[in-house]
Tab-separated table of all heavy atoms in Angstrom:
chain	number	residue	atom	x	y	z
A	287	ALA	N	112.072	99.006	35.545
A	287	ALA	CA	112.248	97.578	35.165
A	287	ALA	C	110.868	96.890	35.449
A	287	ALA	O	109.985	97.355	36.139
A	287	ALA	CB	113.348	96.968	35.981
A	288	TRP	N	110.793	95.654	34.878
A	288	TRP	CA	109.641	94.823	35.145
A	288	TRP	C	109.989	93.347	35.151
A	288	TRP	O	111.006	93.001	34.566
A	288	TRP	CB	108.457	95.147	34.319
A	288	TRP	CG	108.642	94.985	32.760
A	288	TRP	CD1	109.069	95.964	31.957
A	288	TRP	CD2	108.442	93.833	32.001
A	288	TRP	NE1	109.096	95.438	30.642
A	288	TRP	CE2	108.723	94.143	30.656
A	288	TRP	CE3	108.005	92.556	32.339
A	288	TRP	CZ2	108.589	93.227	29.618
A	288	TRP	CZ3	107.903	91.590	31.265
A	288	TRP	CH2	108.146	91.968	29.947
A	289	LEU	N	109.143	92.552	35.791
A	289	LEU	CA	109.359	91.122	35.863
A	289	LEU	C	108.038	90.479	35.762
A	289	LEU	O	107.045	90.886	36.325
A	289	LEU	CB	110.009	90.747	37.184
A	289	LEU	CG	110.193	89.250	37.475
A	289	LEU	CD1	111.553	88.999	38.167
A	289	LEU	CD2	109.126	88.614	38.189
A	290	SER	N	108.037	89.370	34.923
A	290	SER	CA	106.789	88.540	34.829
A	290	SER	C	107.061	87.104	35.105
A	290	SER	O	108.123	86.606	34.882
A	290	SER	CB	106.131	88.751	33.444
A	290	SER	OG	106.960	88.180	32.466
A	291	PHE	N	106.072	86.521	35.767
A	291	PHE	CA	106.034	85.075	35.921
A	291	PHE	C	105.122	84.494	34.847
A	291	PHE	O	103.929	84.843	34.854
A	291	PHE	CB	105.431	84.719	37.294
A	291	PHE	CG	106.322	85.089	38.512
A	291	PHE	CD1	106.316	86.360	39.025
A	291	PHE	CD2	107.101	84.160	39.090
A	291	PHE	CE1	107.013	86.714	40.114
A	291	PHE	CE2	107.865	84.476	40.202
A	291	PHE	CZ	107.849	85.720	40.706
A	292	ASP	N	105.662	83.757	33.920
A	292	ASP	CA	104.865	83.263	32.781
A	292	ASP	C	104.653	81.749	32.916
A	292	ASP	O	105.508	81.030	33.435
A	292	ASP	CB	105.569	83.609	31.498
A	292	ASP	CG	105.677	85.075	31.291
A	292	ASP	OD1	104.580	85.738	31.283
A	292	ASP	OD2	106.763	85.586	31.101
A	293	THR	N	103.485	81.332	32.485
A	293	THR	CA	103.130	79.927	32.552
A	293	THR	C	104.113	79.128	31.669
A	293	THR	O	104.405	79.483	30.512
A	293	THR	CB	101.729	79.734	31.973
A	293	THR	OG1	100.835	80.355	32.907
A	293	THR	CG2	101.338	78.265	31.921
A	294	PHE	N	104.655	78.054	32.217
A	294	PHE	CA	105.623	77.198	31.536
A	294	PHE	C	104.894	76.346	30.502
A	294	PHE	O	105.276	76.295	29.315
A	294	PHE	CB	106.372	76.351	32.502
A	294	PHE	CG	107.036	75.143	31.963
A	294	PHE	CD1	108.083	75.267	31.027
A	294	PHE	CD2	106.637	73.851	32.272
A	294	PHE	CE1	108.686	74.177	30.465
A	294	PHE	CE2	107.277	72.739	31.713
A	294	PHE	CZ	108.334	72.874	30.820
A	295	TYR	N	103.819	75.689	30.931
A	295	TYR	CA	103.092	74.786	30.073
A	295	TYR	C	101.673	74.688	30.675
A	295	TYR	O	101.531	74.417	31.865
A	295	TYR	CB	103.812	73.427	30.008
A	295	TYR	CG	103.320	72.511	28.944
A	295	TYR	CD1	103.581	72.823	27.560
A	295	TYR	CD2	102.629	71.361	29.206
A	295	TYR	CE1	103.160	71.954	26.595
A	295	TYR	CE2	102.212	70.510	28.195
A	295	TYR	CZ	102.461	70.813	26.901
A	295	TYR	OH	102.050	70.009	25.866
A	296	ALA	N	100.678	74.868	29.893
A	296	ALA	CA	99.259	74.948	30.322
A	296	ALA	C	98.679	73.606	30.664
A	296	ALA	O	97.655	73.199	30.031
A	296	ALA	CB	98.415	75.727	29.379
A	297	ARG	N	99.292	72.858	31.530
A	297	ARG	CA	98.741	71.576	32.015
A	297	ARG	C	98.858	71.659	33.526
A	297	ARG	O	99.900	72.083	34.108
A	297	ARG	CB	99.460	70.379	31.450
A	297	ARG	CG	99.469	70.230	29.961
A	297	ARG	CD	98.099	69.769	29.411
A	297	ARG	NE	98.143	69.393	28.084
A	297	ARG	CZ	98.000	70.255	27.033
A	297	ARG	NH1	97.809	71.546	27.266
A	297	ARG	NH2	98.009	69.858	25.802
A	298	ALA	N	97.902	71.061	34.275
A	298	ALA	CA	97.814	71.161	35.666
A	298	ALA	C	99.060	70.703	36.375
A	298	ALA	O	99.460	71.283	37.409
A	298	ALA	CB	96.566	70.419	36.202
Side-chain angles (χ1 to χ4, degrees):
W288 58 269
L289 178 143
S290 65
F291 291 83
D292 296 306
T293 296
F294 162 65
Y295 194 69
R297 299 287 190 275

